[in-house]
Amino acid sequence: MALPATTPRAAARCPIAACAPTPPVTAGGRPRELPFALLAERGMMVGGHRGMGMNAVGAPPGARVGAARERENTLLSFGRAAEHAAVAFVEFDVQVTKDGCPVIFHDDFILTQKTEVLYEMRVTDLLLEEFLSYGVQKEPHKVSKPLLRRMEDGRVLTWSTEEDDYLCTLQEVFEHVSPHLGFNIELKFDDNIIYPSVNLNRALQAVLQVVFQYAGNRPLFFSTFQPDAARITRELQSVYPVLFLTEGGTAKHDDTRRNSLDNAIHVCQEYDLHGVVSEVRGVLKNPSAILKAQESNLAILTYGQLNNVREAVYVQYLMGVNGVIVDLVEEISNAVADFSKPDLGQSTFSNSVDIGRKHESFSQQQLGFLLRLIPELIQQPH
């Protein structure tokens, strides 16, 4: 089927996956090692959420996590994150346009307004050229469509940031972001859609084609809330780790595979995945799952608002969590670097903690203290 004519920028950024990709291998014919080998030297990895942090549109004044200075999921935000040596990777969301082009965008729908009329389109129903026409434009002669964002409560708000940047494709991210910065590519699918395997396969092959062509030696891993997408990604390639995303029991879904941290670990075992990325409350409420994951040689990473609280991250550090995805990138990455210092025993956090035995010294009393704080912390504006 012939594709519509596109602009030069769109044409240059629109590789169409036509066949299953062939995974690259290192010298000697063996797949690359997991990027989690970095854990041995880092102790705990810090990842920037959508770059330097998500844009919390509509957050009240004084909120701890507000609208990040940079627009999320853009080259500007990724580049700023790369400037922080303690940041191991950035997490970002990839969707595939109607004409088969992987782009970086979190929300399932993209909104704009013209003459007081609201226009709302599903990202995957747009052609690449249409997607790139939203927001600030790379070419100065083009008129930008203002971006709006729909909140969970149904409100639609203007999506403005202090520093703006244009929407981008997966290829552009590989080409323009420092190759030393790791990527956590979240394979984004709508929770409210049941996808036939053929549709999942088509979208995943489009993403993998770009990854295999442009990743080079960059450390990266995939993650997704869609369990069948995780399974298919693992079947299509064995080069890059695949992690399963879960709310850890903080939300309920018709698909029971998504309803608990224990179920997520079972998914990893069944599909030969490499680890779990859990909402942080799921891990704090079920710390025994960390040992279960470790016994299965699975990595455990977390995301969520509590990861912007230094004390919550510190407890995870003691528990043996392998990485945290955060919005307050500079503050938390500096805190984690401080946790790892040899003289940490002199800090106010750890007068009674033997860092040489950090995992063994973690107590139920410490966990109980944090769990008592959770209701207050999650009710704070963010």
Side-chain angles (χ1 to χ4, degrees):
M1 180 178 69
L3 296 175
T6 59
T7 63
R9 181 187 175 210
R13 307 299 180 210
C14 189
I16 307 298
C19 58
T22 302
V25 293
T26 58
R30 298 185 62 182
R32 299 193 193 107
E33 296 296 322
L34 301 184
F36 301 121
L38 289 171
L39 293 172
E41 59 187 58
R42 290 181 181 268
M44 172 185 268
M45 295 194 297
V46 176
H49 187 206
R50 308 180 200 172
M52 284 296 289
M54 71 174 183
N55 299 147
V57 178
R64 179 162 175 78
V65 178
R69 184 172 66 179
E70 307 86 359
R71 182 172 294 282
E72 68 182 37
N73 278 335
T74 60
L75 296 177
L76 173 65
S77 190
F78 300 147
R80 292 274 171 81
E83 294 172 2
H84 295 274
V87 175
F89 65 91
V90 287
E91 178 272 350
F92 54 82
D93 311 274
V94 173
Q95 303 185 59
V96 177
T97 61
K98 188 177 180 178
D99 47 347
C101 305
V103 296
I104 315 299
F105 199 76
H106 173 270
D107 300 0
D108 295 320
F109 291 87
I110 191 167
L111 288 76
T112 192
Q113 191 172 29
K114 184 177 181 181
T115 61
E116 300 186 358
V117 177
L118 182 68
Y119 296 89
E120 185 170 13
M121 291 289 295
R122 185 179 293 278
V123 171
T124 53
D125 287 341
L126 295 172
L127 300 174
L128 176 63
E129 184 173 16
E130 294 171 326
F131 172 77
L132 296 176
S133 70
Y134 288 81
V136 65
Q137 294 295 292
K138 187 175 183 180
E139 294 83 4
H141 65 278
K142 288 191 174 182
V143 178
S144 63
K145 297 178 182 176
L147 278 170
L148 292 82
R149 193 167 219 174
R150 185 177 294 280
M151 304 292 99
E152 290 184 0
D153 60 10
R155 291 178 300 154
V156 175
L157 302 177
T158 299
W159 188 354
S160 58
T161 56
E162 186 177 328
E163 294 187 60
D164 213 341
D165 198 15
Y166 56 87
L167 303 183
C168 60
T169 67
L170 180 59
Q171 178 181 334
E172 288 175 310
V173 173
F174 276 117
E175 291 177 329
H176 298 293
V177 177
S178 168
H180 302 294
L181 183 68
F183 285 172
N184 169 195
I185 299 176
E186 180 182 338
L187 304 165
K188 187 81 175 179
F189 297 94
D190 192 328
D191 289 342
N192 299 311
I193 294 178
I194 299 176
Y195 292 89
S197 293
V198 64
N199 291 9
L200 291 174
N201 204 302
R202 185 182 301 115
L204 295 171
Q205 288 196 28
V207 173
L208 290 173
Q209 181 173 347
V210 175
V211 169
F212 291 139
Q213 185 170 353
Y214 295 99
N217 292 320
R218 183 189 302 274
L220 69 85
F221 60 97
F222 297 106
S223 63
T224 182
F225 284 103
Q226 223 291 348
D228 293 316
R231 171 181 55 80
I232 293 171
T233 303
R234 186 72 176 93
E235 291 171 352
L236 286 174
Q237 58 86 45
S238 59
V239 177
Y240 300 108
V242 182
L243 278 67
F244 185 48
L245 271 161
T246 176
E247 286 103 336
T250 63
K252 292 298 180 183
H253 300 273
D254 292 336
D255 189 335
T256 58
R257 293 175 293 180
R258 299 186 57 183
N259 285 340
S260 73
L261 183 53
D262 288 330
N263 286 356
I265 291 173
H266 179 73
V267 167
C268 291
Q269 294 168 334
E270 183 177 359
Y271 299 154
D272 194 25
L273 307 183
H274 300 87
V276 174
V277 185
S278 174
E279 214 285 341
V280 57
R281 291 171 297 168
V283 169
L284 294 174
K285 292 177 179 178
N286 185 11
S288 63
I290 295 179
L291 180 59
K292 183 178 179 181
Q294 291 171 340
E295 290 174 345
S296 297
N297 198 29
L298 299 173
I300 288 279
L301 283 73
T302 65
Y303 71 93
Q305 290 297 314
L306 280 176
N307 278 356
N308 299 304
V309 179
R310 177 187 173 104
E311 292 83 355
V313 173
Y314 181 62
V315 170
Q316 293 178 75
Y317 174 81
L318 295 175
M319 293 169 72
V321 169
N322 299 123
V324 289
I325 298 171
V326 307
D327 294 296
L328 301 182
V329 172
E330 184 172 7
E331 177 181 335
I332 300 302
S333 62
N334 289 340
V336 171
D338 184 57
F339 299 161
S340 305
K341 289 180 180 178
D343 62 349
L344 183 62
Q346 304 302 315
S347 77
T348 56
F349 274 125
S350 55
N351 290 336
S352 61
V353 175
D354 178 358
I355 294 304
R357 299 174 62 252
K358 65 182 181 182
H359 297 162
E360 293 83 350
S361 64
F362 174 72
S363 70
Q364 289 298 317
Q365 182 179 8
Q366 288 171 306
L367 177 61
F369 173 73
L370 181 61
L371 291 178
R372 288 193 295 273
L373 286 178
I374 285 177
E376 178 183 348
L377 290 170
I378 62 177
Q379 289 172 17
Q380 291 179 355
H382 49 74

